[in-house]
Every structure is written in C-alpha cells, then in structure tokens.
Amino acid sequence: MKKKFTLEIASPCSENFDAMIPNSGGSFCSSCAKNVIDLSRKTNSEVAKFIAETKDQNICARLKVTQLQEEFQYTETSRINNFKYAAVAASVLITSNMAAQEKTPVKTETVCTKLNTYKLGKVVHSQVTPKEMLINIKGKLLEAKTSKPFNKEVYPNLELTINGAEKTVKINPQTGEFSIVASVLESSKSFIVTITGNDYYLSKEIPFTKRAVKGAILQQNIVIAAEELTKIYIAGGLGINYTGK
C-alpha cells in the first residue's frame, strides 16, 4: 500500500547546525541533547525511505524550505501479506524438491559443431576522451539587486565549490571575493557553482567561454538574487502529515 505524506516543522530551531558534532547517526545538538538528521541534501526517494524506516520515532531534522512543499511517497507492505507470500514460497519449494526427487535423471549428450570464423577487413575503434583543464576561477559573489556582497550578518559563513568538487573556499564577507581552482572540460560552456552558508544553499549553472580563460585564470563574478538562496531550517521535532489513502 502506498503512503503519501508531507513534512512539517512546527517550531524551527535557531541552533547553528555547523557547530554541532557530526556522528554516525547525524549531528549531535548539545542544547537539546539529540541527534539532528540532515535531510536537506537527500533526494525525495531517500527522504521517503528514511521516514518509512523511522516513522514511529521522535526525529529532529534539517530541511530545505522547498522540501516542506513537497509530497513524498513510500510503499508499506502488510505483514499478513508477507506471511502469505512466505508460506506460498515455502510450499512451492517443498513441492519442487519432491518432484525433483521422484524423477530419474536422464543422461544426455550434446554434440556441438565447431563453427568456422572468418575475418573480413579491418575493425577500427576510436574513443575520444574529453579533455579537462585546471583553471583558477577568481571573482566576487554579488547580490543581483545591489551589485554588492551579501550581508554577512544575514548570510554568514558563505562558501562555494565548483562542479561538485569536495574542496570548498570561503567567500570574503567584506568584499565578496573568492578564488578557487577547478577542473572543467575544455568543451564546457558553463560550470556548476554550489554556494552554502549556515542555513543557505544554492546550486546554479554559470556560463563562461574558454576564450575568457587567460593563462589558466578565469575572471568571473557570480551574480545571484538573494531569493535564489534556499533557507534551511533545523526542526526541534519533525512532523509527518499523511495525505490521501
């Protein structure tokens, strides 16, 4: 049976998630002495699987605001049906074993004719491997409306990474400046920048041209609107609202 649900955060928590202590079960919040599970970067199917496995538990979680507007779904299997399926499977297995024992094995001999193989002409296989180049991307992160750096009080600890690389660099809170070495394909006309902060997240495609790269350096400002940054909340308690049947 399919279960559909939405998520709810009744009382958002103001604790700093980045200051919590990571562990195998999430990140430990010393204020409430609980683990906070980060669901903000999970796919819908991963969130649904997590809820299906922990739906009866009291959960603290970190979510993107957009996830509060999503409808999730997982399949709940009845225990009675599981028992019936297991019983049928066992019955089929027993019957198959008995039938196999009653039959007398018959020896068979198969004669395979050896096939002649012929080579006609030449086979040419060419595989072109896309070339990558390392470039140092330098510029400023600017807010679209003001053309100025983001307010460090409202958007603290902003960092960015390029094309999903593990390495991140901090953005200067005063000037918005950044410098990061990134690997991009020579044929690329864009790169993916991921911006994170204490409670903010954004992944966006930024266009550029190879001709703009001079001496392995690309001067490129990144201009985004403040509303593009997704706010992330930390819940004191995660609510699950089931919809439909």
Side-chain angles (χ1 to χ4, degrees):
M1 180 172 61
K2 291 184 178 180
K3 287 277 193 178
K4 295 182 179 180
F5 64 93
T6 59
L7 299 177
E8 176 187 24
I9 298 177
S11 301
C13 174
S14 59
E15 293 297 323
N16 185 354
F17 183 81
D18 295 330
M20 296 180 187
I21 304 172
N23 57 42
S24 59
S27 290
F28 184 75
C29 175
S30 57
S31 295
C32 59
K34 287 185 179 180
N35 273 345
V36 179
I37 309 301
D38 189 359
L39 300 180
S40 65
R41 298 187 183 183
K42 291 186 180 295
T43 64
N44 283 13
S45 58
E46 289 172 336
V47 171
K49 182 176 182 295
F50 174 80
I51 296 299
E53 295 172 349
T54 60
K55 59 181 180 294
D56 298 326
Q57 300 178 22
N58 184 13
I59 302 167
C60 288
R62 186 189 200 213
L63 293 172
K64 293 196 293 285
V65 168
T66 52
Q67 288 175 299
L68 301 178
Q69 302 163 359
E70 295 281 348
E71 184 176 66
F72 303 88
Q73 177 179 293
Y74 67 87
T75 301
E76 187 175 61
T77 306
S78 170
R79 292 183 180 181
I80 296 177
N81 288 338
N82 282 342
F83 177 76
K84 290 166 68 175
Y85 294 150
V88 170
S91 176
V92 171
L93 181 61
I94 293 173
T95 304
S96 300
N97 288 340
M98 291 179 63
Q101 291 176 4
E102 291 176 357
K103 292 182 180 180
T104 303
V106 178
K107 294 184 178 180
T108 59
E109 183 176 352
T110 303
V111 178
C112 296
T113 304
K114 185 176 181 181
L115 298 178
N116 292 325
T117 58
Y118 301 90
K119 294 182 180 179
L120 297 176
K122 295 182 179 179
V123 178
V124 178
H125 178 70
S126 177
Q127 183 176 358
V128 178
T129 303
K131 293 183 178 180
E132 293 186 347
M133 59 180 181
L134 283 177
I135 59 175
N136 189 355
I137 303 175
K138 295 182 177 183
K140 294 181 179 181
L141 176 67
L142 303 174
E143 203 277 312
K145 289 182 180 180
T146 64
S147 296
K148 294 181 179 180
F150 281 80
N151 187 320
K152 64 179 182 179
E153 302 299 330
V154 181
Y155 305 95
N157 301 321
L158 290 180
E159 298 180 337
L160 67 76
T161 187
I162 302 295
N163 289 343
E166 292 184 4
K167 180 182 179 181
T168 61
V169 296
K170 291 185 177 181
I171 297 168
N172 188 309
Q174 303 291 342
T175 64
E177 291 178 324
F178 66 87
S179 176
I180 183 171
V181 176
S183 176
V184 298
L185 296 177
E186 288 189 353
S187 58
S188 293
K189 296 182 179 180
S190 64
F191 57 83
I192 302 297
V193 59
T194 301
I195 300 169
T196 57
N198 282 11
D199 292 329
Y200 290 92
Y201 174 85
L202 172 66
S203 183
K204 185 175 182 177
E205 185 175 12
I206 306 295
F208 82 101
T209 62
K210 184 181 176 181
R211 289 179 298 177
V213 179
K214 305 296 182 181
I217 296 176
L218 173 65
Q219 294 287 347
Q220 177 86 39
N221 287 342
I222 298 175
V223 182
I224 62 174
E227 53 268 24
E228 291 183 83
L229 288 169
T230 300
K231 184 74 170 70
I232 300 173
Y233 290 105
I234 299 177
L238 182 65
I240 305 171
N241 300 318
Y242 290 97
T243 60
K245 295 183 179 180

